[in-house]
Amino acid sequence: MAIIKKSLSNKALLLPQTSALKQILKRCSSFGKKNNGYNESGLPDDVPKGHFAVYVGENRSRYIIPISWLGHPEFQSLLQRAEEEFGFNHDMGLTIPCEEVVFRSLIDQYF
């Protein structure tokens, strides 16, 4: 975990916060407007206000996380990696490119 932690801290300053966060929130709020399971505003029924969904790991496990995490440097680093690997314009949802066990460890350690 020490290697991951170091990597996350070093990349945290690279994310242009304002524009990237706006893109993420806009993208998350527009997921699945054509599918069932979404309310009349196009938001997922199972995601409470102030939260959003991310997909993690090879199996794309879904996690509902608070928007407040967007301001945390370790999470920003994960978002930077997601942007580098997938960009923001794709149909896979907000996918975090790391192993699920690493993501859970990060959650337990920092949140």
Side-chain angles (χ1 to χ4, degrees):
M1 185 65 183
I3 294 171
I4 301 278
K5 186 175 172 184
K6 179 180 177 189
S7 171
L8 294 176
S9 296
N10 289 343
K11 288 188 175 184
L13 299 175
L14 300 175
L15 185 64
Q17 292 180 353
T18 304
S19 64
L21 294 178
K22 285 180 183 178
Q23 284 182 324
I24 291 166
L25 291 174
K26 180 179 178 182
R27 183 81 175 145
C28 290
S29 67
S30 65
F31 287 149
K33 288 188 176 183
K34 299 173 190 165
N35 298 329
N36 291 335
Y38 293 83
N39 65 24
E40 60 278 351
S41 300
L43 300 174
D45 288 331
D46 65 338
V47 178
K49 185 175 183 176
H51 292 73
F52 64 102
V54 297
Y55 300 89
V56 179
E58 189 175 302
N59 294 324
R60 296 192 69 233
S61 298
R62 187 170 188 247
Y63 288 85
I64 307 298
I65 59 173
I67 288 175
S68 63
W69 288 14
L70 292 172
H72 202 281
E74 283 77 12
F75 192 75
Q76 288 179 1
S77 180
L78 290 174
L79 294 175
Q80 177 70 32
R81 287 177 52 198
E83 180 184 21
E84 290 169 1
E85 187 163 332
F86 304 114
F88 288 116
N89 191 19
H90 63 82
D91 295 329
M92 300 183 329
L94 182 53
T95 304
I96 304 296
C98 74
E99 295 178 20
E100 189 172 358
V101 67
V102 173
F103 185 77
R104 285 187 195 172
S105 175
L106 183 71
I107 291 170
D108 291 342
Q109 185 174 2
Y110 292 105
F111 306 102

